[in-house]
């Protein structure tokens, strides 16, 4: 069922009008981690990123979806010992 939900979500993205902007990684990731941590049973979620990362020029919606998927997969496939 997760695969089907992911396929539906991906299909809807094709209808998304892309809007490119310079995005602040630190603020976006902090908000996403807070959001995902509150919904997770994992004891701690931490994302480390270099402070001098350049700001990407991306579509914010698609960029957030990418990071949510990466973080959710990291949580899903990480060991409870880590």
């Amino acid at each position: 069922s997760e695969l089907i939900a992911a396929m539906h979500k991906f299909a809807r993205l094709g209808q998304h009008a892309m809007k490119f902007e310079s995005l602040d990684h630190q603020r976006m990731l902090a908000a996403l981690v807070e959001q995902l941590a509150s919904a997770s049973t994992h004891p701690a979620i931490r994302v480390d990123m270099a402070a001098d990362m350049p700001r990407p020029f991306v579509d914010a919606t698609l960029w957030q979806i990418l990071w949510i998927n990466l973080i959710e997969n990291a949580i899903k496939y990480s060991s409870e010992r880590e």
Side-chain angles (χ1 to χ4, degrees):
S1 70
E2 283 184 45
L3 178 59
I4 292 171
M7 290 172 64
H8 283 259
K9 190 176 191 179
F10 185 73
R12 286 191 304 271
L13 289 177
Q15 301 166 358
H16 173 77
M18 295 179 64
K19 179 184 171 204
F20 291 93
E21 60 186 284
S22 178
L23 194 64
D24 182 350
H25 275 297
Q26 299 292 342
R27 286 183 37 206
M28 185 213 52
L29 279 175
L32 289 178
V33 168
E34 183 178 322
Q35 197 175 29
L36 292 170
S38 67
S40 174
T41 59
H42 202 278
I45 298 173
R46 186 183 85 221
V47 175
D48 294 326
M49 183 178 3
D52 61 348
M53 290 285 291
R55 292 173 66 113
F57 192 70
V58 295
D59 178 87
T61 302
L62 295 178
W63 197 245
Q64 286 181 351
I65 291 169
L66 170 103
W67 279 101
I68 289 169
N69 286 337
L70 288 172
I71 295 168
E72 284 178 339
N73 283 337
I75 292 167
K76 183 176 180 180
Y77 296 109
S78 67
S79 166
E80 290 296 323
R81 295 173 293 179
E82 294 180 43

